[in-house]
């Protein structure tokens, strides 16, 4: 766990679980994370909610380069030339803060060249970050689909495909 002042390695046990649970559930305490959805899944297994995630480095990187490897190790290596193997937790935490600043600066730079309100920063802040909790809940609980709607769509598509096939044979 890290703050801008220091980082600590905390052993996960019943005693620390209670304190960390309070911290993670406190929406007033802003949190920078990497892969917030995975954190939500992990903490749900411990019956701990996570609130106050204000920046997800994985989502920010995805907005900037959707096809790239978004692992924290790759991002730190690409941006800072740092291999995280063997680094102390405090050093890793400092790199996470630096990664957040770097990604935020790049989001802002790219957004300045785009037309408001359709900027990559707007996509990150207004779509991706709010979707994090929604997608987590969908993965946890599933979604309900109207089977009859899909049966109707399937019939329509079959009809369209047959019409297109007929057009293709006529043209050939």
């Amino acid at each position: 766990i890290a703050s801008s002042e220091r980082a600590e390695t905390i052993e996960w046990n019943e005693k620390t679980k209670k304190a960390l649970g309070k911290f993670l559930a406190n929406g007033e305490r802003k949190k920078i994370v990497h892969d917030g959805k995975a954190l939500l899944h992990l903490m749900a297994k411990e019956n701990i909610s996570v609130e106050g995630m204000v920046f997800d480095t994985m989502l920010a990187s995805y907005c900037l380069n959707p096809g790239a490897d978004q692992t924290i190790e790759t991002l730190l290596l690409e941006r800072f030339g740092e291999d995280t193997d063997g680094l102390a937790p405090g050093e890793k935490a400092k790199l996470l803060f630096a990664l957040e600043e770097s990604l935020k600066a790049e989001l802002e730079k790219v957004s300045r060249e785009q037309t408001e309100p359709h900027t990559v920063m707007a996509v990150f802040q207004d779509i991706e970050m709010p979707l994090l909790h929604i997608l987590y809940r969908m993965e946890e609980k599933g979604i309900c689909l109207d089977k009859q709607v899909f049966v109707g769509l399937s019939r329509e598509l079959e009809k369209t495909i047959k019409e297109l096939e007929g057009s293709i044979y006529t043209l050939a």
Side-chain angles (χ1 to χ4, degrees), residues 31-74:
K31 295 155 193 84
I32 300 166
V33 299
H34 184 83
D35 196 356
K37 194 161 49 101
L39 178 63
L40 289 169
H41 283 291
L42 184 64
M43 290 297 105
K45 291 176 184 174
E46 299 290 338
N47 294 316
I48 294 172
S49 68
V50 180
E51 302 299 330
M53 289 187 283
V54 295
F55 198 92
D56 186 320
T57 55
M58 188 177 89
L59 286 178
S61 177
Y62 171 78
C63 287
L64 291 164
N65 192 357
D69 181 353
Q70 311 299 342
T71 61
I72 187 87
E73 296 82 8
T74 299

Side-chain angles (χ1 to χ4, degrees), residues 1 7-11 88-90:
I1 235 84
E8 298 288 333
T9 301
I10 300 172
E11 184 179 333

Side-chain angles (χ1 to χ4, degrees), residues 88-99:
E91 293 303 311
K92 287 181 183 179
K94 286 178 188 173
L95 288 173
L96 182 63
F97 288 121
L99 181 60

Side-chain angles (χ1 to χ4, degrees), residues 3-34:
S3 71
S4 55
E5 295 87 34
R6 68 180 222 201
E8 298 288 333
T9 301
I10 300 172
E11 184 179 333
W12 186 259
N13 58 42
E14 288 305 313
K15 184 178 175 183
T16 59
K17 177 179 164 179
K18 186 175 180 180
L20 287 172
K22 284 182 183 180
F23 167 76
L24 291 170
N26 183 347
E28 298 297 313
R29 301 291 302 263
K30 304 304 177 203
K31 295 155 193 84
I32 300 166
V33 299
H34 184 83

Side-chain angles (χ1 to χ4, degrees), residues 76 82-92 95:
L76 293 174
E82 289 284 348
D83 185 354
T84 57
D85 288 342
L87 285 180
E91 293 303 311
K92 287 181 183 179
L95 288 173

